[in-house]
C-alpha cells in the first residue's frame, strides 16, 4: 500500500475511532438503572432449596414445551385476524360492528396468551414457602418504589432540559 493510501486510511479511521471511544466515556443509564422488574430475578434472592429450584426448573421446561406447542396455532390465528382486518380496511364502506368483533377477537387471543403466562407465574409463586413469599413481596415493593423514584428523577431531568431549551 502506498504512503498516500495509508495516510488517507488513518485520516478516515482516526475520527471514527475517537468518536466511538467517547461513547464509552459518556455517562449513560446502564442496566442497573432500568426498571424492567422480572420475578425470576427476585427468585434468586429468596434462598431457594434444591427441591424448589428443581420444581421451578421443571415448571419452566413444561411451560416452554407448552408455549412452543401453542405458538404455531396462535400465530396462525393471529395471522387470520390480521388478514380479516386488512380486508376490512380495503372495503369501500367501513363496517364498525365487524371491526369491533375483529378487535375483540384479537384481544381475546392476547388475553389467552397472558392467562397462560399468569398461570405459570402463579404456580411458580406457590412453590415458595410463606417466609419466601413475604420476602418476595418486600423485594417487589422495594423495586416498585425504586422505579417510581427513578421515573420522578427522569421527569425532573426532562423538565430541566426543556426549561434550558426555552
Amino acid at each position: 500500500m502506498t504512503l498516500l493510501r495509508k495516510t488517507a486510511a488513518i485520516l478516515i479511521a482516526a475520527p471514527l475511532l475517537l468518536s466511538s471511544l467517547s461513547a464509552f466515556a459518556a455517562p449513560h443509564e446502564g442496566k442497573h438503572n432500568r426498571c424492567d422488574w422480572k420475578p425470576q430475578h427476585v427468585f434468586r434472592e429468596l434462598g431457594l432449596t434444591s427441591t424448589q429450584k428443581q420444581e421451578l426448573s421443571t415448571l419452566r421446561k413444561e411451560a416452554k414445551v407448552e408455549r412452543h406447542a401453542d405458538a404455531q396455532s396462535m400465530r396462525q390465528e393471529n395471522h387470520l385476524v390480521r388478514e380479516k382486518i386488512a380486508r376490512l380496511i380495503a372495503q369501500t364502506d367501513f363496517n364498525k360492528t365487524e371491526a369491533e368483533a375483529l378487535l375483540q377477537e384479537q384481544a381475546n387471543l392476547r388475553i389467552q396468551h397472558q392467562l397462560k403466562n399468569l398461570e405459570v407465574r402463579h404456580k411458580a409463586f406457590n412453590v415458595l414457602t410463606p417466609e419466601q413469599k413475604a420476602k418476595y413481596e418486600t423485594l417487589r415493593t422495594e423495586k416498585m418504589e425504586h422505579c417510581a423514584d427513578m421515573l420522578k428523577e427522569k421527569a425532573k431531568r426532562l423538565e430541566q432540559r426543556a426549561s434550558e431549551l426555552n
Side-chain angles (χ1 to χ4, degrees), residues 2 13 19-21 52 56 64 83 85 120 148 163:
T2 66
S19 65
S20 66
L21 290 176
Q52 288 174 314
L56 290 172
K64 184 177 180 179
E83 286 293 320
I85 290 172
V120 170
S163 65

Side-chain angles (χ1 to χ4, degrees), residues 95-113:
N95 186 340
K96 185 176 178 179
T97 307
E98 187 178 348
E100 287 174 349
L102 287 172
L103 291 174
Q104 187 61 48
E105 186 177 348
Q106 197 173 39
N108 288 340
L109 290 172
R110 194 174 314 111
I111 289 170
Q112 286 175 1
H113 178 70

Side-chain angles (χ1 to χ4, degrees), residues 6-152:
K6 287 180 184 178
T7 305
I10 290 172
L11 289 175
I12 291 171
L16 294 173
L17 178 65
L18 292 175
S19 65
S20 66
L21 290 176
S22 66
F24 290 111
H28 63 283
E29 292 184 14
K31 282 189 174 186
H32 60 278
N33 287 333
R34 293 182 14 197
C35 284
D36 58 346
W37 181 81
K38 294 182 180 175
Q40 61 267 31
H41 295 166
V42 177
F43 273 55
R44 293 181 190 146
E45 300 177 36
L46 297 178
L48 300 174
T49 65
S50 58
T51 305
Q52 288 174 314
K53 288 178 184 178
Q54 184 61 43
E55 284 182 55
L56 290 172
S57 176
T58 303
L59 182 62
R60 274 191 230 103
K61 287 176 185 174
E62 288 172 357
K64 184 177 180 179
V65 168
E66 185 178 327
R67 195 171 48 247
H68 284 293
D70 293 343
Q72 185 64 30
S73 65
M74 288 190 74
R75 257 189 247 116
Q76 288 174 342
E77 291 174 28
N78 278 324
H79 180 72
L80 290 173
V81 171
R82 285 193 307 271
E83 286 293 320
K84 291 176 185 176
I85 290 172
R87 284 194 297 272
L88 175 73
I89 292 169
Q91 291 176 357
T92 55
D93 295 326
F94 183 73
N95 186 340
K96 185 176 178 179
T97 307
E98 187 178 348
E100 287 174 349
L102 287 172
L103 291 174
Q104 187 61 48
E105 186 177 348
Q106 197 173 39
N108 288 340
L109 290 172
R110 194 174 314 111
I111 289 170
Q112 286 175 1
H113 178 70
Q114 290 172 338
L115 276 172
K116 288 177 184 177
N117 287 339
L118 283 175
E119 184 179 7
V120 170
R121 288 176 56 193
H122 175 76
K123 288 177 182 177
F125 187 75
N126 283 308
V127 167
L128 303 176
T129 64
E131 295 83 17
Q132 290 170 326
K133 288 178 181 180
K135 185 175 180 182
Y136 176 91
E137 281 302 316
T138 303
L139 291 170
R140 187 188 67 79
T141 304
E142 288 173 2
K143 181 66 175 174
M144 291 298 122
E145 289 171 356
H146 173 71
C147 288
D149 292 342
M150 284 184 56
L151 288 174
K152 288 176 187 174

